[in-house]
Amino acid sequence: MSDKEQYDLDAYLDRIGWKGDRRPDLAALRGVHLAHSLSLPFENLDPVTGAAPSLAPGDLMAKMVGGRRGGYCYEHNTLLRLALEALGFRVTPLAGRVTAGAGSPDSRPRTHAMLQVEVAGEPWPYLADVGFGAPGALLLPVPLVSGTEYEGAGRRHRLVPLPHHGPLELWELQAYDHRAGEWAGQYAFTREPFTAQDFEVFNWYVGTHPRSPFTRRPYLQRTLPDGHHLALDGARFTETLADGTVTERELTDEAEARRVVEERFGIAVPDGATLLG
């Protein structure tokens, strides 16, 4: 069965609540991107149970559209790619190195997935990414143009060229940290195209390797329409209000952790998952 036969655009758009026009224009790209970001949480509960999640379109539909689940970058951006292609956009998958917390841009492998989207009538392609699990992640796509700041849905981003020895320009996506009052790197990437087969390998490594942070502890993120952000990193539950107020607490009871995941993140904890280890 082909990807198109496994994928249901109507069900996906209903799941994220997008009611706009289905034309491959900038309004649809922005609308679908934002609706996805505010509807489907980031989570790694499959790797925590010892299995890399399936990236097959039918399995993504069953898990993230039909079920009360989210996913991590490969799942989110595969689902978005299928939607955008069904709407008529030309989409190129890209891969980047996470620079947040890294010593240098080349200290980590390319394990993050994002998308380059071409929009008819626009002078440049757009960077789309609904799968970066961080409070400062993109909520709206940004033009692939360096040296300009973009603000959308209450967040500020920019693309900065980085020096390197490769033949393609290397860019870093940076987000403005209002609490620290400075720009912080998220990931670095080139515009080299990647394929579904590449992401199958990345997904298996990230989802099963014992040194991968995603196999060691739960890592969940959810952004609400009012700007309220929720995060669970292991046992640490963090809430960030739209005004920047942050509260944190440690979850010490498995039943409480499951209740927080179910009720606050809207995620059905899969059988066999132990949240607090």
Side-chain angles (χ1 to χ4, degrees):
M1 184 177 292
S2 69
D3 284 0
K4 292 183 179 180
E5 292 172 316
Q6 297 181 63
Y7 187 76
D8 185 337
L9 179 63
D10 291 336
Y12 168 79
L13 295 179
D14 184 64
R15 173 69 175 86
I16 66 172
W18 169 248
K19 307 296 184 184
D21 291 333
R22 299 188 182 188
R23 293 191 296 264
D25 58 18
L26 184 56
L29 173 61
R30 288 169 58 88
V32 170
H33 195 289
L34 180 61
H36 182 125
S37 299
L38 299 180
S39 301
L40 297 171
F42 183 100
E43 52 111 327
N44 67 322
L45 297 185
D46 285 347
V48 167
T49 65
S54 170
L55 302 183
D59 292 334
L60 293 176
M61 291 295 300
K63 176 183 177 182
M64 299 177 68
V65 175
R68 294 179 57 242
R69 293 291 305 279
Y72 61 5
C73 69
Y74 310 119
E75 299 169 279
H76 276 285
N77 284 320
T78 297
L79 200 59
L80 178 63
R81 174 181 61 80
L82 292 166
L84 295 179
E85 289 175 343
L87 290 170
F89 290 96
R90 182 177 176 181
V91 185
T92 303
L94 306 177
R97 307 177 193 274
V98 175
T99 56
S104 65
D106 58 356
S107 64
R108 292 172 176 166
R110 291 199 198 196
T111 56
H112 180 62
M114 73 285 295
L115 305 171
Q116 173 184 290
V117 184
E118 297 180 32
V119 183
E122 294 295 320
W124 40 66
Y126 279 72
L127 175 69
D129 182 5
V130 291
F132 190 67
L138 288 176
L139 293 179
L140 292 168
V142 295
L144 273 165
V145 178
S146 62
T148 304
E149 296 181 17
Y150 302 98
E151 185 162 358
R155 297 179 181 178
R156 290 170 60 190
H157 292 85
R158 68 182 184 184
L159 288 166
V160 176
L162 298 180
H164 79 132
H165 299 296
L168 299 177
E169 186 175 14
L170 179 68
W171 288 343
E172 183 179 50
L173 179 68
Q174 297 181 349
Y176 188 75
D177 185 336
H178 292 276
R179 294 179 65 192
E182 61 186 16
W183 290 93
Q186 295 190 323
Y187 51 81
F189 65 98
T190 67
R191 292 174 60 185
E192 177 185 356
F194 284 75
T195 68
Q197 291 79 8
D198 295 320
F199 292 113
E200 286 288 351
V201 175
F202 300 160
N203 179 49
W204 176 82
Y205 178 86
V206 172
T208 64
H209 197 284
R211 292 178 59 187
S212 168
F214 291 114
T215 65
R216 296 178 174 182
R217 65 189 189 280
Y219 188 74
L220 285 65
Q221 303 273 334
R222 183 185 182 189
T223 300
L224 302 174
D226 63 0
H228 191 167
H229 186 83
L230 309 176
L232 181 64
D233 185 354
R236 188 173 70 252
F237 178 51
T238 303
E239 298 185 65
T240 304
L241 301 182
D243 64 5
T245 303
V246 177
T247 60
E248 293 185 352
R249 63 187 176 96
E250 292 290 317
L251 305 181
T252 59
D253 178 78
E254 180 71 17
E256 180 192 19
R258 295 177 77 90
R259 186 168 59 253
V260 166
V261 170
E262 293 268 358
E263 297 178 1
R264 304 298 306 278
F265 290 89
I267 295 171
V269 179
D271 293 339
T274 301
L275 299 175
L276 299 185

